[in-house]
Amino acid sequence: MELVVEERLKELGVSLAYTVVEFTNRAYSEAIWESLLNPLIAKIEAEDTIEMIKDNEKMIATKKAYRALGKDPARFRPSSDSLWRRVIQKKGLYQINDLVDVNNYFSLLYKLPFGSYDLAKIGDEITLTVGEAGESYAGIGKKAVNIENLLVLKDAEGPFGSPTSDSTRGMIGEETTQAILIGYVFNEMDVAGMQQEIKAAVEKYLQDCKVIQQAVI
């Protein structure tokens, strides 16, 4: 994989922490829910409030970048905001498949948008850029996502992912065997430590998992 972050986005403090994996995906893993998601969800439900979202440094940095690009983060919420807000409101999380469930765990844990993409469905040269005027794509669970002025991942065929909502083109299914997991980072943090924890978790909880590549750009 070759990932590039445009210079104008680097100047805003945006980076990508990515992990490429080979694995066997499954519809459901009891271990992922019982060991990772359910304890974290219970802790958030018991301790967190909506005000904590507003005051969180990572959320503040994320939304600052959105506004700098001309996108309203209140209308186009980062996925980390949406997930955290949903759990605080005790609405639970949808169970999808192993990689998507782990992806959501990382987003809740690190308070960052994460996206996972099937490598068989996207190109191997990816650029983080900004959606152009009038651009949109078919979103997962949505008819269309307005990506104008939104951070987007693009390959040779066009945009397929964003920290708000991903397209159907690169989405993870039970047939997925190779994928890239991308964390969108907007402020200074221990990214190296996070990457080590991600590697350990995917190798433990995804079936037959091997980490092929891991980097921060």
Side-chain angles (χ1 to χ4, degrees):
M1 297 298 302
E2 181 180 351
L3 274 73
V4 175
V5 176
E6 289 188 344
E7 285 300 322
R8 57 177 168 164
L9 300 179
K10 290 182 179 180
E11 291 173 1
L12 289 176
V14 182
S15 61
L16 298 177
Y18 71 92
T19 302
V20 178
V21 294
E22 289 184 355
F23 69 113
T24 300
N25 207 12
R26 296 170 295 184
Y28 173 77
S29 165
E30 183 177 355
I32 288 172
W33 283 87
E34 293 303 316
S35 299
L36 299 179
L37 277 165
N38 286 341
L40 182 57
I41 289 169
K43 184 175 186 297
I44 291 171
E45 288 181 346
E47 300 177 3
D48 294 2
T49 65
I50 296 296
E51 287 300 318
M52 291 174 66
I53 299 177
K54 298 176 182 178
D55 296 336
N56 182 270
E57 290 183 2
K58 293 176 183 175
M59 290 292 182
I60 291 170
T62 302
K63 294 176 182 181
K64 181 179 179 181
Y66 271 52
R67 293 189 187 97
L69 296 171
K71 205 67 170 177
D72 182 358
R75 290 187 59 209
F76 297 87
R77 294 189 190 279
S79 59
S80 47
D81 182 327
S82 298
L83 283 175
W84 193 5
R85 189 175 298 265
R86 183 177 180 85
V87 174
I88 288 171
Q89 294 171 339
K90 298 185 179 180
K91 295 180 179 179
L93 293 182
Y94 293 111
Q95 185 275 312
I96 308 296
N97 57 56
D98 284 5
L99 182 55
V100 174
D101 295 343
V102 167
N103 180 101
N104 290 340
Y105 168 75
F106 292 143
S107 185
L108 283 173
L109 180 66
Y110 298 116
K111 308 299 186 285
L112 297 173
F114 274 82
S116 293
Y117 311 98
D118 189 325
L119 293 185
K121 302 174 183 176
I122 61 173
D124 57 8
E125 295 183 2
I126 298 169
T127 300
L128 182 67
T129 181
V130 180
E132 298 176 3
E135 272 195 310
S136 66
Y137 55 50
I140 298 174
K142 302 176 182 179
K143 289 184 178 180
V145 178
N146 174 2
I147 59 172
E148 180 178 344
N149 295 331
L150 184 66
L151 286 164
V152 290
L153 296 170
K154 286 188 176 182
D155 62 8
E157 292 186 33
F160 64 87
S162 81
T164 286
S165 182
D166 293 319
S167 78
T168 55
R169 178 158 69 90
M171 68 187 236
I172 302 296
E174 290 178 46
E175 77 285 354
T176 302
T177 58
Q178 292 185 320
I180 185 167
L181 175 74
I182 297 179
Y184 299 84
V185 181
F186 296 88
N187 66 340
E188 293 186 7
M189 58 173 290
D190 180 14
V191 180
M194 180 183 77
Q195 290 288 78
Q196 290 176 357
E197 292 169 357
I198 288 173
K199 183 176 186 294
V202 295
E203 288 181 338
K204 181 175 182 179
Y205 290 101
L206 296 181
Q207 188 171 2
D208 306 321
C209 182
K210 180 180 181 182
V211 173
I212 304 300
Q213 187 178 352
Q214 198 174 43
V216 179
I217 57 168

